[in-house]
Amino acid sequence: MNIPGNRLLLRIALPVLLFGTAISIFLPASLFPRVSAIISFRTDAMLENAIQNAVWICDERFNDLLDLRMESDHEMRQASLNQAIEEIKGLRSGLPDIHMLVIGRSAEVLGSTLAEPLSYPEALLDKTQYGNAIQQVAISGRPYQVVHTYFPFWRIHIYAVITRTAYMAPIILAKRIVYLAAFGVLSTVLLLLVLLFSLRVNRPLKALILATQSVHKERPDKIHIKGKGDEIGSLARAFNTMVDQLVNDRHKIHTIMRELRDSEEQYRILSEYSLTHIAMIQKGRLLFVNNTMAQVAGLEHGNLQDQPFEALINELDRQDAVNRFAALENGSRQSDRFECRLKSAGGVIWLDAVATLALFQEAHAVLFHAVDITARKKLEKKLSQAQKLEAIGTLAGGVAHDLNNILSGLLGYPELLLMDLAPESPLRKPLLQIQRSAQRAAEIVQDLLTMARRGVDVQQVVNLNMVIGEYLMSLEHERIRGAHPEVCFKSELDDNLLNMQGSAIHLTKTVMNLVRNAAESMPQGGEVVIKTRNRYIEGSGSGRGQDDLGEGDYVVLTIQDGGNGISQEDMERIFEPFYTKKVMGHSGTGLGMSVVLGTVQDHHGKVDISSREGLGTRFTLYFPATRESRVAVKEPVSLDAYKGDGQQILVVDDVADQRDLMTEMLSRLGYRVDAVESGEAALAFVKKQPVDLVLLDMVMDPGMDGMETLKSILQIFPRQKSIILSGFSETVKVEKAMQLGAGAYLKKPVIMEALGLAVREQLRLPDGG
């Protein structure tokens, strides 16, 4: 047999040479974009870091204003802005070519480190004000890379910019270096490869060919070759041991087969007992499911085999899942991720699924993996509902503010007119009807504020048994009993019930709403049971209700009926404002359950609902208990008890009707009254003529609100007495006003007795009290 010459070397070296040449050309082309991307990313990061540092500077200056409570002071705002701009201009970044630019809301340049002036700032503002990504923009005729951000407090636009030339310079340099390095390295490697191949491969292979020519013999000779420490020497040793190991190969094969079986068993256990839902589907039928999925489906593992997979999917998602699996099996897609609902023995569960095309028995199949996301879906739903309630509550709070201002006149003027009318006057009845209608409207407004969680003032120590007892003897409950004569109302009240901190008015409204709903749910009659009891909650919570309860004593109210019950769909929306199955305006406003939830939450309590359609509903309300004792209720006082002695009072309100009403009421009570329409006018008035008491509306627009007006007056007259009025409970501002020195807070609409008592109480206090 002839031994070939160097043809193997030529056959390998020539392709390697050609391949290396191609690589030396195309490798830099493929490598350079990555290098360019890294350099661009670094430059972009420096631009973004400069913007972040500028925003941090603005935040620091803005926080300084907040700490000093000078955010409303124009001069301080401007001074703080100028300081922030100077600090932004002085920023240092990783590249000296990065410049900072600050543009005001009117497109004026507030600060710049650019060498040339900015010709058309409004054009730059139009192109970038709605985006925060890195953009290429022409500035004064030159291309720049620009990063933009907007700081809303000063309404300024901040830019970090770098010229396109400076931006591309390191990229161009890197390109040259990459090409030179690639050609140099590959040329050196190819040369060394040829030399090493000739010395270490070609020559030993010729010797190995001579040695292997004896393999065809019955007893082949062993190969003797130099260089036993390298790869060819190893090949020679392997060839020599091959014959010796033939007998032992059968034992090794058996060992390998056993290891394969063990490996298969491990994978089977992993699949069967994984917490992930796993299945294999082919032509719409199940080939395999693991234990997790079998248990969820509520069927025996064996019964799921060869069953149609679509039967496990909820009807609402079934067609979509069928279409997705068909697209996978026909090869249109390789994988798919989607969410679907799976029917189970305990109801419906949500799955986050990944379906992948696989080959099983030479045919397409779908491998299905999914995790249970039911808990996440429930949280998302609760979050969505909370956001909806917050939006509606904000709207309701604003509407309630305006309505309270209107209702002040409807309640106040009839009261003034009734004081002047004779007892037998025919006008008394219509005026009293106007008062009652206005009072009813005020109650609806209070429902809006309760729903918005801005109307409950939890200050009194009350006993829930007394609240329930007074309600059961009220005319409102008599109307419910008259409308539902077939319903029996039963109370089981704990004689030793603990007291609680709360608002008796709102608690009465809560009981009334729940009792009315219970009665209306039993058109054929039945029994409504009202129970109270004490309960001590241990550990981290009760495990019931909307959220867990903290450890401690609780007063528990339960109202149970045997009515129609609440469907699952209605249960999910029961606390939404204006959601009702009743005729709107006929038996309610649609706010009843929203008021219940708002009242319970404002009392730091929880609600637990248990209901089954056709079997009735049970509401359980938990309220934190207190060991404090109740304060005796004050008896109504006569008009003479709160008349004035001619003191000077200033009324400050931006609504003319409110000023007229307050002036009339206070004049009737014997005070000298002046009224102004704004905080600025009030400040000017007290500078010229000091007054004994100032009545301030909290919400005034435009100009200073009540709290700002009070603060300004106290700077001039630190011992000035004042009372705050508002139709919209702004808890934070009210608390700040009280801390500043406001003597009392009255909610609109205000009746004469409440106004007179508050004014008389403030005037009796020593100066500054």
Side-chain angles (χ1 to χ4, degrees):
M1 182 176 180
N2 295 328
I3 300 175
N6 294 322
R7 284 179 294 173
L8 179 61
L9 175 61
L10 293 175
R11 289 177 181 178
I12 294 178
L14 185 60
V16 169
L17 180 63
L18 295 175
F19 180 74
T21 303
I23 288 296
S24 66
I25 295 173
F26 292 107
L27 181 60
S30 62
L31 183 61
F32 174 69
R34 298 183 182 181
V35 176
S36 175
I38 293 172
I39 297 173
S40 297
F41 177 80
R42 177 177 173 272
T43 307
D44 292 346
M46 292 181 181
L47 285 170
E48 291 173 350
N49 186 58
I51 280 292
Q52 291 173 1
N53 288 337
V55 171
W56 180 83
I57 289 171
C58 290
D59 282 337
E60 285 293 301
R61 302 291 77 76
F62 174 61
N63 288 332
D64 291 342
L65 281 178
L66 291 179
D67 291 339
L68 296 173
R69 298 185 176 177
M70 301 294 289
E71 64 273 18
S72 300
D73 189 292
H74 177 75
E75 293 183 357
M76 285 300 295
R77 285 164 57 102
Q78 186 62 40
S80 183
L81 172 59
N82 293 338
Q83 182 182 357
I85 292 173
E86 290 303 315
E87 291 183 17
I88 291 172
K89 290 167 61 179
L91 280 175
R92 293 291 182 268
S93 60
L95 288 177
D97 297 308
I98 293 178
H99 298 278
M100 302 305 297
L101 178 63
V102 181
I103 299 179
R105 59 178 176 180
S106 300
E108 72 276 14
V109 177
L110 302 179
S112 172
T113 60
L114 291 171
E116 64 277 11
L118 183 60
S119 301
Y120 300 100
E122 61 275 6
L124 175 61
L125 193 61
D126 290 340
K127 291 180 181 179
T128 61
Q129 66 175 335
Y130 297 111
N132 295 326
I134 296 177
Q135 305 177 56
Q136 183 175 343
V137 179
I139 301 177
S140 300
R142 297 180 62 187
Y144 280 78
Q145 294 293 114
V146 177
V147 181
H148 162 265
T149 189
Y150 176 69
F151 194 78
F153 178 71
W154 286 305
R155 299 181 181 177
I156 59 173
H157 297 265
I158 306 172
Y159 298 86
V161 301
I162 185 172
T163 63
R164 185 67 182 175
T165 302
Y167 185 86
M168 294 299 298
I171 298 177
I172 296 172
L173 178 62
K175 183 177 182 179
R176 294 173 180 172
I177 294 173
V178 167
Y179 272 91
L180 290 174
F183 274 105
V185 170
L186 288 174
S187 299
T188 303
V189 169
L190 289 174
L191 180 60
L192 291 175
L193 179 64
V194 171
L195 292 174
L196 291 174
F197 185 87
S198 177
L199 294 174
R200 293 299 183 91
V201 177
N202 200 34
R203 291 180 183 177
L205 278 178
K206 291 180 180 178
L208 183 60
I209 291 171
L210 291 173
T212 54
Q213 289 177 351
S214 64
V215 172
H216 66 281
K217 296 180 181 179
E218 183 175 340
R219 191 174 183 85
D221 298 331
K222 291 185 178 182
I223 299 173
H224 300 281
I225 190 170
K226 296 180 179 179
K228 293 183 179 181
D230 57 18
E231 289 79 2
I232 294 179
S234 299
L235 178 62
R237 290 194 300 273
F239 178 82
N240 291 333
T241 57
M242 180 177 61
V243 177
D244 299 334
Q245 296 297 324
L246 286 178
V247 177
N248 298 328
D249 283 347
R250 181 175 299 175
H251 175 70
K252 291 182 179 180
I253 291 172
H254 290 167
T255 302
I256 292 172
M257 292 297 293
R258 184 171 62 254
E259 290 175 352
L260 287 174
R261 286 194 298 269
D262 292 343
S263 177
E264 181 182 357
E265 181 67 11
Q266 291 174 1
Y267 279 108
R268 186 189 67 80
I269 293 173
L270 249 155
S271 172
E272 288 291 339
Y273 297 100
S274 171
L275 296 178
T276 304
H277 300 76
I278 303 174
M280 181 175 285
I281 303 98
Q282 193 173 62
K283 296 181 179 179
R285 307 192 75 82
L286 288 166
L287 299 180
F288 165 80
V289 289
N290 68 342
N291 286 336
T292 302
M293 193 163 186
Q295 291 172 1
V296 167
L299 299 174
E300 294 294 333
H301 185 275
N303 294 338
L304 280 174
Q305 298 290 343
D306 204 33
Q307 295 293 321
F309 180 71
E310 64 183 70
L312 302 180
I313 304 296
N314 184 270
E315 292 80 2
L316 298 175
D317 301 329
R318 184 172 298 165
Q319 190 56 49
D320 178 64
V322 170
N323 294 339
R324 291 176 182 272
F325 277 68
L328 286 166
E329 287 201 56
N330 63 29
S332 300
R333 305 183 68 173
Q334 295 297 314
S335 63
D336 196 359
R337 181 171 183 172
F338 57 95
E339 294 180 357
C340 65
R341 282 161 284 194
L342 193 69
K343 294 193 297 186
S344 72
V348 175
I349 66 168
W350 276 94
L351 296 180
D352 183 1
V354 175
T356 308
L357 180 64
L359 192 65
F360 181 75
Q361 295 181 350
E362 300 183 356
H364 283 169
V366 176
L367 187 59
F368 178 86
H369 290 79
V371 293
D372 189 342
I373 58 170
T374 307
R376 191 189 79 190
K377 283 290 184 180
K378 290 181 179 178
L379 289 175
E380 290 174 353
K381 191 169 186 178
K382 285 184 179 180
L383 176 61
S384 175
Q385 186 178 20
Q387 291 171 339
K388 186 189 302 181
L389 287 173
E390 177 65 21
I392 296 176
T394 301
L395 174 63
V399 171
H401 168 257
D402 295 335
L403 286 177
N404 272 332
N405 280 333
I406 297 171
L407 291 173
S408 293
L410 291 176
L411 279 173
Y413 282 114
E415 186 176 15
L416 293 172
L417 292 172
L418 287 169
M419 293 172 64
D420 297 333
L421 289 178
E424 67 277 3
S425 172
L427 295 177
R428 293 189 68 87
K429 185 175 180 180
L431 285 174
L432 288 171
Q433 182 59 41
I434 291 174
Q435 266 194 322
R436 284 192 293 268
S437 297
Q439 187 61 46
R440 174 58 182 153
E443 291 175 0
I444 295 175
V445 171
Q446 189 59 49
D447 287 347
L448 286 171
L449 288 173
T450 302
M451 179 194 69
R453 298 195 66 191
R454 295 185 174 99
V456 179
D457 189 13
V458 183
Q459 292 182 347
Q460 301 172 325
V461 176
V462 297
N463 187 277
L464 194 56
N465 282 351
M466 296 188 67
V467 171
I468 295 170
E470 291 174 0
Y471 162 71
L472 293 176
M473 292 186 294
S474 67
L475 292 176
E476 191 67 37
H477 183 62
E478 286 300 321
R479 293 191 189 100
I480 295 175
R481 293 174 68 94
H484 305 279
E486 68 283 354
V487 177
C488 174
F489 298 90
K490 180 182 178 182
S491 60
E492 299 177 5
L493 308 182
D494 189 340
D495 294 335
N496 298 315
L497 191 68
L498 295 172
N499 293 330
M500 58 176 285
Q501 285 277 0
S503 167
I505 295 174
H506 291 85
L507 291 171
T508 301
K509 195 66 177 287
T510 296
V511 174
M512 182 189 71
N513 285 331
L514 292 176
V515 170
R516 179 196 292 125
N517 288 344
E520 291 176 351
S521 72
M522 297 185 293
Q524 307 302 322
E527 185 178 71
V528 176
V529 181
I530 307 172
K531 298 181 181 179
T532 60
R533 69 182 188 278
N534 297 318
R535 182 173 175 185
Y536 182 80
I537 304 298
E538 296 183 353
S540 60
S542 64
R544 305 186 67 184
Q546 293 179 321
D547 297 298
D548 286 345
L549 295 168
E551 184 174 356
D553 290 311
Y554 287 85
V555 175
V556 182
L557 167 65
T558 302
I559 299 179
Q560 184 170 353
D561 64 69
N564 298 327
I566 305 173
S567 67
Q568 184 62 35
E569 178 184 358
D570 292 336
M571 186 76 76
E572 294 176 355
R573 302 186 60 189
I574 190 172
F575 292 115
E576 290 185 14
F578 308 111
Y579 178 76
T580 179
K581 292 292 188 178
K582 307 171 186 177
V583 178
M584 185 68 74
H586 177 69
S587 59
T589 61
L591 294 174
M593 293 310 299
S594 299
V595 170
V596 170
L597 179 61
T599 299
V600 173
Q601 290 178 340
D602 281 326
H603 285 74
H604 308 291
K606 307 297 177 186
V607 180
D608 180 20
I609 309 174
S610 175
S611 181
R612 294 182 63 185
E613 291 189 67
L615 297 178
T617 303
R618 181 178 67 248
F619 281 86
T620 305
L621 279 57
Y622 297 85
F623 299 102
T626 180
R627 299 291 177 174
E628 297 182 28
S629 301
R630 293 179 65 250
V631 179
V633 179
K634 296 181 180 179
E635 295 294 332
V637 296
S638 64
L639 180 62
D640 294 334
Y642 50 86
K643 273 196 170 184
D645 298 321
Q647 293 93 334
Q648 181 71 38
I649 298 178
L650 177 64
V651 175
V652 187
D653 200 305
D654 60 333
V655 180
D657 292 342
Q658 296 296 305
R659 296 196 299 273
D660 294 341
L661 177 60
M662 291 294 106
T663 300
E664 181 69 21
M665 283 185 169
L666 291 168
S667 297
R668 289 290 187 96
L669 292 173
Y671 297 103
R672 292 181 293 114
V673 187
D674 288 289
V676 293
E677 72 283 358
S678 67
E680 289 81 0
L683 192 59
F685 186 94
V686 297
K687 286 180 180 178
K688 295 179 180 178
Q689 180 181 340
V691 295
D692 297 301
L693 181 70
V694 178
L695 262 68
L696 277 167
D697 183 27
M698 275 297 294
V699 182
M700 294 188 290
D701 186 53
M704 296 190 298
D705 61 14
M707 187 181 69
E708 293 169 343
T709 303
L710 178 60
K711 186 187 298 183
S712 300
I713 292 175
L714 290 174
Q715 289 176 354
I716 303 172
F717 302 105
R719 305 176 73 83
Q720 177 66 60
K721 297 177 180 180
S722 60
I723 293 177
I724 293 293
L725 296 95
S726 178
F728 180 21
S729 299
E730 300 212 14
T731 307
V732 176
K733 286 194 174 182
V734 169
E735 289 179 355
K736 288 183 177 179
M738 300 299 284
Q739 292 170 2
L740 285 174
Y745 165 59
L746 297 177
K747 293 182 183 178
K748 296 181 182 178
V750 181
I751 62 174
M752 186 175 291
E753 180 182 340
L755 178 62
L757 290 173
V759 171
R760 186 68 176 269
E761 179 66 24
Q762 290 307 304
L763 291 174
R764 283 180 175 177
L765 294 174
D767 288 344

